[in-house]
Amino acid sequence: MKRRGFIKQSTLLGLGAMAACTPLNGKENQNSKSIVLSTWNHGLSANVAAWNILQAKGSALDAVEAGVRITEANPAFTSVGLGGLPDRDGRVTLDACIMNEQGEAGSVAFLENIMHPISVARKVMEETPHVMLVGEGAEKFAYDQGFKKVDLLTKESEIAWKEWLKESEYKPIINVENHDTIGMIAIDDYGNLSGACTTSGLAFKQNGRVGDSPIIGAGLFVDNEIGAATATGLGEEVIKTVGSFLIVELMRQGANPQAACEEAANRIIKKHGKPKFQVGYLALSKKGEIGAVSIHPGFQYAITSSKSATLKDAKSMLSSD
Ligand code: GLY
């Protein structure tokens, strides 16, 4: 993205941040156990939708679905849903998954023309005996379920793609835009955990490429006895280390969520030295403890509880130089 575009987009994103960073409306039940965590700046507006459900005694599952739908529908966020940057052939292809407190899961990958892949993933979980549908099959299933066909390529994303085509340089970079995949994990007032993860994937990826976000255990994992974790950043590295599953399993063995996220990031760092790509993890334990880690500085996450709605810096495992 050109610097001017980046500044314009940062301003847009920043306005959302200011609005959602204001104190909660004061009507919160101070004894509420509910917590919602999500990746990046766009998590703030997503958390507002999730929080409204949690405060109305809704389920964590409904909360995470409603939360990430906000991001999917916002064309300003060019890494998720509508307005997502296309692949190198100019096609916007989406990946998403969802998990509930019973450990059930639904997922879609390489899905085109559907605004809310997370809701299609939920339909896969609830209406089919399967976990994952991809490509044309997933799209046809979505239409059968009543989803509408939408052109997801916005003018702005088409311009960015045509600009990229001039050099067609294909190389993942450390994220500088304070948005990427949205992963959201939440615990509700009944003590149940759920999670959702949705993305348009790596910008200008090879046609057919699928990242970590729809892969259960990579982009997202929920175990209602232990905790939940989600990932953002370069999906290939998250898949190879089964990052979210790893974090929850480390928590099962006694690690707190922060230590578990640090170990998962370190597994990647050990293989690459100082990698030129970013990966970030969020984790939430059954007790409501939080973990937030990235390889490089710059990964922020949104956290909403009965105390506040804020954007925080995750701990970075490497320094910025
Ligand atoms: N984490 C998103 C992707 O790599 O597609």
Side-chain angles (χ1 to χ4, degrees), residues 180-181 199 201-202 209 211-213 232-236:
D180 197 317
T181 301
T199 191
L202 209 53
R209 181 263 188 190
D212 60 313
S213 302
T232 185
L234 187 63
E236 281 74 3

Side-chain angles (χ1 to χ4, degrees), residues 222-278:
V222 177
D223 182 325
N224 204 37
E225 285 182 8
I226 307 297
T230 192
T232 185
L234 187 63
E236 281 74 3
E237 298 304 321
V238 177
I239 292 171
K240 285 186 268 184
T241 48
V242 202
S244 294
F245 181 73
L246 172 63
I247 290 167
V248 174
E249 284 307 297
L250 290 167
M251 285 160 61
R252 187 192 304 282
Q253 290 161 27
N256 64 44
Q258 183 65 24
C261 288
E262 290 181 20
E263 172 59 18
N266 276 332
R267 297 258 175 118
I268 298 174
I269 292 167
K270 267 183 226 153
K271 280 175 31 187
H272 295 275
K274 188 166 184 182
K276 290 207 181 332
F277 54 81
Q278 178 68 300

Side-chain angles (χ1 to χ4, degrees), residues 33 35 187 193 226 257 283-291 303:
K33 287 191 288 219
I35 300 173
I187 188 160
L193 290 153
I226 307 297
L284 180 61
S285 76
K286 184 82 174 166
K287 288 189 270 183
E289 306 154 311
I290 284 158
I303 170 167

